[in-house]
Amino acid sequence: MSLLARYRDLLPITDATPLISLAEGNTPLIAAPRLARELGVRELLLKFEGMNPTGSFKDRGMVMAIAKAVEEGARSVVCASTGNTSAAAAAYAARAGLEAVVIVPAGKIALGKLAQALMYGAKLVAIEGNFDAALDIVRKMGDSYPITVVNSVNQYRIEGQTTAAYEIVDVLGDAPDALCLPVGNAGNITAYWLGFQRYHQRGKTTHLPKMLGFQAEGASPIVRGSAFDKPHTLATAINIGNPASWQYAVSARDESTGCIDCVSDDEIVAAWRDLARCEGVFCEPASAAGVAGLRKLVQQGAAPPDARYVAVLTGHGLKDPGLAVEQFSPPQPVPPSMTAIERVLGW
Ligand code: F0G
Protein backbone atom coordinates (compact mmCIF):
# COMPACT_ATOMS: atom_id res chain seq x y z
CA MET A 1 0.00 0.00 0.00
CA SER A 2 1.31 3.51 -0.79
CA LEU A 3 2.45 5.78 2.03
CA LEU A 4 -0.46 8.19 1.55
CA ALA A 5 -2.99 5.35 1.55
CA ARG A 6 -1.45 3.64 4.57
CA TYR A 7 -1.52 6.71 6.80
CA ARG A 8 -4.50 8.37 5.18
CA ASP A 9 -6.33 8.93 8.46
CA LEU A 10 -3.39 10.83 9.93
CA LEU A 11 -2.71 12.97 6.86
CA PRO A 12 -4.56 15.93 5.29
CA ILE A 13 -6.07 13.74 2.58
CA THR A 14 -9.48 14.30 1.03
CA ASP A 15 -11.38 12.38 -1.64
CA ALA A 16 -9.88 14.81 -4.16
CA THR A 17 -6.25 14.11 -3.19
CA PRO A 18 -4.49 11.94 -5.79
CA LEU A 19 -2.70 9.11 -3.96
CA ILE A 20 0.45 9.34 -6.05
CA SER A 21 3.35 7.10 -5.18
CA LEU A 22 6.83 5.94 -6.10
CA ALA A 23 6.74 3.35 -3.28
CA GLU A 24 8.17 5.76 -0.70
CA GLY A 25 8.29 5.04 3.02
CA ASN A 26 8.26 1.66 4.76
CA THR A 27 12.02 2.00 5.13
CA PRO A 28 13.95 -0.54 7.19
CA LEU A 29 14.69 -0.15 10.90
CA ILE A 30 18.01 -1.93 11.11
CA ALA A 31 19.49 -3.23 14.36
CA ALA A 32 23.07 -2.03 14.80
CA PRO A 33 24.50 -4.22 17.58
CA ARG A 34 28.18 -3.74 16.75
CA LEU A 35 27.92 0.00 16.63
CA ALA A 36 25.80 0.00 19.80
CA ARG A 37 28.56 -1.93 21.59
CA GLU A 38 31.19 0.44 20.25
CA LEU A 39 29.21 3.49 21.34
CA GLY A 40 28.42 1.87 24.68
CA VAL A 41 24.61 1.81 24.50
CA ARG A 42 22.22 -1.08 25.05
CA GLU A 43 20.35 -0.80 21.76
CA LEU A 44 20.73 1.21 18.57
CA LEU A 45 18.45 0.96 15.57
CA LEU A 46 18.97 2.73 12.25
CA LYS A 47 15.97 4.14 10.38
CA PHE A 48 17.53 3.99 6.92
CA GLU A 49 15.75 6.69 4.96
CA GLY A 50 18.25 6.31 2.12
CA MET A 51 16.03 3.41 0.98
CA ASN A 52 13.36 5.83 -0.27
CA PRO A 53 12.86 6.06 -4.06
CA THR A 54 15.05 9.14 -4.54
CA GLY A 55 17.39 8.07 -1.75
CA SER A 56 16.33 10.39 1.07
CA PHE A 57 13.59 11.06 3.65
CA LYS A 58 12.42 14.00 1.54
CA ASP A 59 10.19 11.66 -0.47
CA ARG A 60 7.76 11.37 2.45
CA GLY A 61 7.01 15.06 2.60
CA MET A 62 7.27 15.56 -1.12
CA VAL A 63 4.68 12.94 -2.07
CA MET A 64 2.21 14.72 0.26
CA ALA A 65 3.12 18.24 -0.96
CA ILE A 66 2.90 17.29 -4.63
CA ALA A 67 -0.39 15.44 -4.11
CA LYS A 68 -1.86 18.56 -2.49
CA ALA A 69 -0.40 20.79 -5.22
CA VAL A 70 -2.17 18.66 -7.83
CA GLU A 71 -5.38 18.73 -5.81
CA GLU A 72 -5.20 22.53 -5.65
CA GLY A 73 -4.66 22.78 -9.41
CA ALA A 74 -1.00 23.83 -9.42
CA ARG A 75 0.96 23.53 -12.65
CA SER A 76 4.44 24.08 -11.26
CA VAL A 77 6.39 23.81 -8.01
CA VAL A 78 9.58 25.43 -6.78
CA CYS A 79 12.07 24.72 -4.01
CA ALA A 80 15.45 25.80 -2.68
CA SER A 81 17.67 22.91 -1.82
CA THR A 82 21.00 21.55 -0.67
CA GLY A 83 20.19 18.72 -3.09
CA ASN A 84 17.83 16.13 -1.65
CA THR A 85 14.69 18.24 -1.65
CA SER A 86 15.37 19.17 -5.27
CA ALA A 87 15.78 15.50 -6.24
CA ALA A 88 12.51 14.59 -4.53
CA ALA A 89 10.62 17.60 -5.92
CA ALA A 90 11.84 16.84 -9.43
CA ALA A 91 10.89 13.16 -9.20
CA TYR A 92 7.39 13.63 -7.78
CA ALA A 93 6.68 16.56 -10.10
CA ALA A 94 7.63 14.31 -13.02
CA ARG A 95 5.39 11.57 -11.62
CA ALA A 96 2.45 13.96 -11.32
CA GLY A 97 3.03 15.81 -14.59
CA LEU A 98 4.01 19.15 -13.00
CA GLU A 99 6.87 21.48 -13.84
CA ALA A 100 9.61 21.66 -11.17
CA VAL A 101 11.95 24.61 -10.66
CA VAL A 102 14.84 24.05 -8.25
CA ILE A 103 17.26 26.64 -6.92
CA VAL A 104 20.52 25.31 -5.50
CA PRO A 105 23.75 26.83 -4.13
CA ALA A 106 26.32 26.59 -6.94
CA GLY A 107 29.09 24.07 -6.33
CA LYS A 108 27.68 23.02 -2.97
CA ILE A 109 25.45 20.10 -3.82
CA ALA A 110 26.58 16.49 -4.12
CA LEU A 111 26.91 15.13 -7.65
CA GLY A 112 24.29 12.40 -7.27
CA LYS A 113 21.66 14.94 -6.28
CA LEU A 114 22.48 17.21 -9.20
CA ALA A 115 22.22 14.22 -11.54
CA GLN A 116 18.78 13.38 -10.16
CA ALA A 117 17.31 16.87 -10.57
CA LEU A 118 18.58 17.00 -14.15
CA MET A 119 17.45 13.50 -15.09
CA TYR A 120 13.96 13.99 -13.63
CA GLY A 121 13.68 17.03 -15.88
CA ALA A 122 13.63 19.90 -13.39
CA LYS A 123 14.51 23.45 -14.42
CA LEU A 124 17.66 23.90 -12.38
CA VAL A 125 19.14 27.25 -11.38
CA ALA A 126 22.45 27.39 -9.50
CA ILE A 127 22.93 30.63 -7.55
CA GLU A 128 26.12 32.28 -6.37
CA GLY A 129 24.96 32.10 -2.78
CA ASN A 130 24.06 29.62 -0.08
CA PHE A 131 20.89 27.68 0.74
CA ASP A 132 19.51 30.49 2.91
CA ALA A 133 19.75 32.95 0.00
CA ALA A 134 18.08 30.39 -2.29
CA LEU A 135 15.18 29.95 0.17
CA ASP A 136 14.68 33.73 0.40
CA ILE A 137 14.32 33.92 -3.37
CA VAL A 138 11.99 30.93 -3.48
CA ARG A 139 9.65 32.53 -0.92
CA LYS A 140 9.55 35.66 -3.11
CA MET A 141 8.86 33.56 -6.21
CA GLY A 142 5.96 31.93 -4.36
CA ASP A 143 4.53 35.39 -3.63
CA SER A 144 5.00 36.70 -7.17
CA TYR A 145 4.07 33.77 -9.41
CA PRO A 146 1.38 31.07 -9.53
CA ILE A 147 3.87 28.46 -8.32
CA THR A 148 3.70 26.25 -5.22
CA VAL A 149 6.65 26.36 -2.82
CA VAL A 150 7.52 22.81 -1.74
CA ASN A 151 10.16 23.57 0.86
CA SER A 152 9.26 22.52 4.40
CA VAL A 153 7.70 25.96 4.95
CA ASN A 154 4.88 24.16 3.12
CA GLN A 155 3.02 22.43 5.98
CA TYR A 156 2.15 19.43 3.77
CA ARG A 157 5.85 18.56 3.66
CA ILE A 158 5.94 18.38 7.46
CA GLU A 159 2.73 16.35 7.49
CA GLY A 160 4.16 13.79 5.06
CA GLN A 161 7.32 13.49 7.08
CA THR A 162 5.38 12.58 10.25
CA THR A 163 4.93 9.13 8.69
CA ALA A 164 8.49 8.16 9.63
CA ALA A 165 7.59 8.46 13.33
CA TYR A 166 4.48 6.33 12.79
CA GLU A 167 6.52 3.64 11.05
CA ILE A 168 9.05 3.45 13.89
CA VAL A 169 6.28 2.99 16.45
CA ASP A 170 4.42 0.51 14.24
CA VAL A 171 7.57 -1.65 14.08
CA LEU A 172 8.70 -1.32 17.70
CA GLY A 173 5.24 -1.37 19.25
CA ASP A 174 6.20 1.77 21.19
CA ALA A 175 8.34 4.89 20.89
CA PRO A 176 12.10 4.51 21.38
CA ASP A 177 13.65 6.24 24.40
CA ALA A 178 15.39 8.76 22.15
CA LEU A 179 15.59 9.69 18.48
CA CYS A 180 18.92 10.99 17.09
CA LEU A 181 18.92 12.91 13.83
CA PRO A 182 20.74 15.60 11.84
CA VAL A 183 19.26 19.10 11.83
CA GLY A 184 19.53 21.43 8.84
CA ASN A 185 16.49 23.51 7.97
CA ALA A 186 14.88 21.79 11.00
CA GLY A 187 11.78 20.46 9.24
CA ASN A 188 12.50 16.82 10.01
CA ILE A 189 12.89 17.16 13.78
CA THR A 190 9.67 19.21 13.73
CA ALA A 191 7.85 16.47 11.81
CA TYR A 192 9.09 13.59 13.96
CA TRP A 193 8.03 15.37 17.13
CA LEU A 194 4.59 16.09 15.69
CA GLY A 195 4.26 12.46 14.60
CA PHE A 196 5.28 11.00 17.95
CA GLN A 197 2.96 13.36 19.80
CA ARG A 198 0.05 12.44 17.53
CA TYR A 199 0.60 8.72 18.01
CA HIS A 200 0.95 9.22 21.76
CA GLN A 201 -2.37 11.08 21.89
CA ARG A 202 -3.95 8.11 20.12
CA GLY A 203 -2.61 5.74 22.75
CA LYS A 204 -0.09 4.07 20.43
CA THR A 205 2.91 4.78 22.67
CA THR A 206 3.44 4.58 26.44
CA HIS A 207 5.84 7.54 26.41
CA LEU A 208 7.36 10.19 24.16
CA PRO A 209 10.98 9.95 22.99
CA LYS A 210 13.63 12.56 23.63
CA MET A 211 14.53 14.40 20.45
CA LEU A 212 18.31 14.60 20.06
CA GLY A 213 19.15 16.82 17.08
CA PHE A 214 22.63 17.56 15.80
CA GLN A 215 23.90 20.35 13.59
CA ALA A 216 27.34 20.48 12.01
CA GLU A 217 29.63 22.72 14.06
CA GLY A 218 30.23 25.13 11.13
CA ALA A 219 26.47 25.45 10.57
CA SER A 220 25.03 25.35 14.09
CA PRO A 221 22.82 28.43 14.47
CA ILE A 222 20.34 26.77 16.83
CA VAL A 223 23.13 25.68 19.18
CA ARG A 224 24.73 29.13 19.14
CA GLY A 225 21.44 30.97 19.25
CA SER A 226 22.13 33.18 16.24
CA ALA A 227 22.13 32.76 12.46
CA PHE A 228 25.36 31.93 10.57
CA ASP A 229 26.04 34.24 7.60
CA LYS A 230 28.60 31.89 6.09
CA PRO A 231 27.80 28.36 7.22
CA HIS A 232 30.39 25.78 6.28
CA THR A 233 30.49 21.99 6.64
CA LEU A 234 31.48 19.07 4.43
CA ALA A 235 28.04 17.68 5.21
CA THR A 236 26.57 19.85 2.43
CA ALA A 237 23.00 18.63 3.04
CA ILE A 238 22.89 20.46 6.38
CA ASN A 239 24.96 23.50 5.43
CA ILE A 240 22.27 25.96 6.55
CA GLY A 241 22.75 29.18 8.51
CA ASN A 242 19.19 30.24 9.28
CA PRO A 243 16.77 27.29 9.53
CA ALA A 244 13.16 27.94 8.51
CA SER A 245 11.72 25.72 11.29
CA TRP A 246 14.11 27.03 13.97
CA GLN A 247 11.39 27.75 16.57
CA TYR A 248 9.63 24.42 16.04
CA ALA A 249 12.94 22.61 16.52
CA VAL A 250 13.51 24.46 19.79
CA SER A 251 9.99 23.48 20.92
CA ALA A 252 10.63 19.83 20.00
CA ARG A 253 13.86 19.94 22.00
CA ASP A 254 12.30 21.55 25.05
CA GLU A 255 8.98 19.69 25.12
CA SER A 256 10.76 16.33 24.77
CA THR A 257 13.49 17.32 27.27
CA GLY A 258 16.00 16.44 24.55
CA CYS A 259 18.82 18.51 23.14
CA ILE A 260 20.17 20.20 20.02
CA ASP A 261 23.94 20.03 19.97
CA CYS A 262 26.63 20.15 17.31
CA VAL A 263 29.30 17.78 16.01
CA SER A 264 32.49 18.58 14.13
CA ASP A 265 33.10 17.50 10.54
CA ASP A 266 35.70 15.01 11.84
CA GLU A 267 33.13 13.48 14.18
CA ILE A 268 30.62 13.26 11.32
CA VAL A 269 33.15 11.55 9.05
CA ALA A 270 34.14 9.08 11.79
CA ALA A 271 30.49 8.11 12.41
CA TRP A 272 29.80 7.95 8.67
CA ARG A 273 32.65 5.52 8.12
CA ASP A 274 31.80 3.46 11.22
CA LEU A 275 28.22 2.98 10.02
CA ALA A 276 29.43 1.52 6.75
CA ARG A 277 32.33 -0.48 8.21
CA CYS A 278 30.64 -1.86 11.34
CA GLU A 279 27.11 -2.35 10.06
CA GLY A 280 27.21 -2.38 6.26
CA VAL A 281 24.96 0.69 6.10
CA PHE A 282 26.18 3.43 3.76
CA CYS A 283 24.49 6.77 4.29
CA GLU A 284 25.49 10.24 3.16
CA PRO A 285 27.79 12.27 5.42
CA ALA A 286 25.10 14.57 6.89
CA SER A 287 23.03 11.52 7.79
CA ALA A 288 25.73 10.34 10.19
CA ALA A 289 25.40 13.45 12.38
CA GLY A 290 22.84 11.72 14.61
CA VAL A 291 25.18 8.83 15.37
CA ALA A 292 28.14 11.22 15.80
CA GLY A 293 26.04 13.20 18.26
CA LEU A 294 24.95 10.13 20.19
CA ARG A 295 28.59 9.10 20.55
CA LYS A 296 29.42 12.57 21.87
CA LEU A 297 26.58 12.55 24.41
CA VAL A 298 27.48 9.06 25.67
CA GLN A 299 31.11 10.13 26.10
CA GLN A 300 29.97 13.18 28.07
CA GLY A 301 27.71 11.04 30.25
CA ALA A 302 24.75 12.99 28.90
CA ALA A 303 22.96 10.00 27.31
CA PRO A 304 22.09 6.97 29.47
CA PRO A 305 23.70 3.75 28.14
CA ASP A 306 20.73 1.62 29.17
CA ALA A 307 18.27 2.94 26.61
CA ARG A 308 16.85 2.20 23.18
CA TYR A 309 18.07 4.70 20.60
CA VAL A 310 16.87 5.14 17.03
CA ALA A 311 19.19 7.09 14.71
CA VAL A 312 17.68 8.43 11.50
CA LEU A 313 19.97 8.00 8.49
CA THR A 314 18.40 10.61 6.26
CA GLY A 315 20.04 9.92 2.88
CA HIS A 316 21.87 7.26 0.88
CA GLY A 317 25.65 7.09 0.64
CA LEU A 318 25.60 6.95 -3.14
CA LYS A 319 24.30 10.53 -3.20
CA ASP A 320 27.85 11.72 -2.56
CA PRO A 321 30.32 9.09 -3.79
CA GLY A 322 33.07 11.64 -4.40
CA LEU A 323 33.53 12.43 -0.72
CA ALA A 324 33.59 8.72 0.10
CA VAL A 325 36.30 7.92 -2.43
CA GLU A 326 38.37 10.90 -1.22
CA GLN A 327 38.67 9.23 2.18
CA PHE A 328 40.98 6.60 0.71
CA SER A 329 44.11 6.58 -1.44
CA PRO A 330 43.16 5.53 -4.98
CA PRO A 331 43.97 1.89 -5.79
CA GLN A 332 47.08 1.56 -7.99
CA PRO A 333 46.41 -0.77 -10.95
CA VAL A 334 48.54 -3.94 -10.98
CA PRO A 335 49.08 -6.64 -13.63
CA PRO A 336 46.29 -9.24 -13.80
CA SER A 337 48.24 -11.99 -12.08
CA MET A 338 47.85 -13.93 -8.83
CA THR A 339 51.27 -12.82 -7.60
CA ALA A 340 50.56 -9.14 -8.14
CA ILE A 341 47.21 -9.41 -6.35
CA GLU A 342 48.74 -11.41 -3.49
CA ARG A 343 51.34 -8.67 -3.09
CA VAL A 344 48.63 -5.98 -2.84
CA LEU A 345 46.69 -8.05 -0.32
CA GLY A 346 49.84 -8.76 1.70
CA TRP A 347 49.20 -12.55 1.53
N1 F0G B 1 19.94 14.99 6.12
C1 F0G B 1 19.90 15.14 4.80
C2 F0G B 1 20.50 14.07 3.96
C3 F0G B 1 19.28 16.29 4.23
O1 F0G B 1 19.25 16.42 2.91
C4 F0G B 1 18.75 17.26 5.08
C5 F0G B 1 18.13 18.48 4.53
C6 F0G B 1 18.81 17.04 6.47
C7 F0G B 1 19.40 15.91 6.95
C8 F0G B 1 18.25 18.02 7.44
O2 F0G B 1 16.87 17.95 7.49
O3 F0G B 1 16.39 20.30 6.89
O4 F0G B 1 14.64 18.82 7.84
O5 F0G B 1 16.52 19.62 9.26
N2 F0G B 1 18.14 18.77 3.32
C9 F0G B 1 17.43 19.89 2.73
C10 F0G B 1 17.52 19.84 1.21
C11 F0G B 1 17.79 21.21 3.28
O6 F0G B 1 17.44 20.87 0.54
O7 F0G B 1 17.62 18.74 0.67
P1 F0G B 1 16.04 19.25 7.90
Side-chain angles (χ1 to χ4, degrees), residues 57-58 81-85 182-188 237-238 240 284 314:
F57 72 99
K58 303 288 182 180
S81 182
T82 56
N84 282 325
T85 301
V183 173
N185 212 26
N188 210 24
I238 53 172
I240 294 175
E284 66 171 284
T314 46

Side-chain angles (χ1 to χ4, degrees), residues 63-267:
V63 71
M64 184 78 255
I66 297 289
K68 293 306 277 187
V70 170
E71 181 180 343
E72 288 159 12
R75 305 293 300 275
S76 53
V77 297
V78 62
C79 68
S81 182
T82 56
N84 282 325
T85 301
S86 55
Y92 284 90
R95 186 79 175 159
L98 303 182
E99 174 192 61
V101 177
V102 305
I103 318 277
V104 300
K108 296 212 178 82
I109 85 166
L111 191 63
K113 304 174 187 181
L114 189 61
Q116 288 180 293
L118 294 169
M119 284 298 290
Y120 294 131
K123 286 189 176 157
L124 184 126
V125 186
I127 60 157
E128 295 159 346
N130 60 25
F131 169 84
D132 304 286
L135 185 56
D136 280 347
I137 295 168
V138 162
R139 288 178 195 262
K140 286 182 194 135
M141 288 171 73
D143 291 339
S144 314
Y145 292 94
I147 192 166
T148 305
V149 175
V150 291
N151 279 103
S152 54
V153 294
N154 177 328
Q155 183 61 21
Y156 297 130
R157 282 275 316 282
I158 302 287
E159 288 290 339
Q161 285 177 206
T162 60
T163 57
Y166 310 146
E167 285 180 11
I168 291 172
V169 174
D170 287 344
V171 169
L172 296 181
D174 203 344
D177 295 313
L179 186 86
C180 312
L181 77 172
V183 173
N185 212 26
N188 210 24
I189 192 169
T190 302
Y192 268 101
W193 183 235
L194 184 62
F196 284 123
Q197 284 177 300
R198 235 180 235 165
Y199 247 25
H200 189 57
Q201 281 153 9
R202 287 171 191 236
K204 299 236 187 200
T205 67
T206 60
H207 63 278
L208 284 162
K210 286 185 191 299
M211 306 300 289
L212 310 178
F214 299 94
Q215 301 194 293
E217 211 165 76
S220 52
I222 301 178
V223 181
R224 190 173 78 178
S226 60
F228 277 50
D229 284 343
K230 293 195 172 67
H232 184 74
T233 168
L234 65 68
T236 51
I238 53 172
N239 192 31
I240 294 175
N242 191 13
S245 298
W246 188 323
Q247 287 317 317
Y248 298 112
V250 167
S251 301
R253 176 194 69 191
D254 295 345
E255 290 166 21
S256 74
T257 63
C259 77
I260 295 181
D261 202 343
C262 61
V263 282
S264 68
D265 279 4
D266 285 350
E267 289 168 328

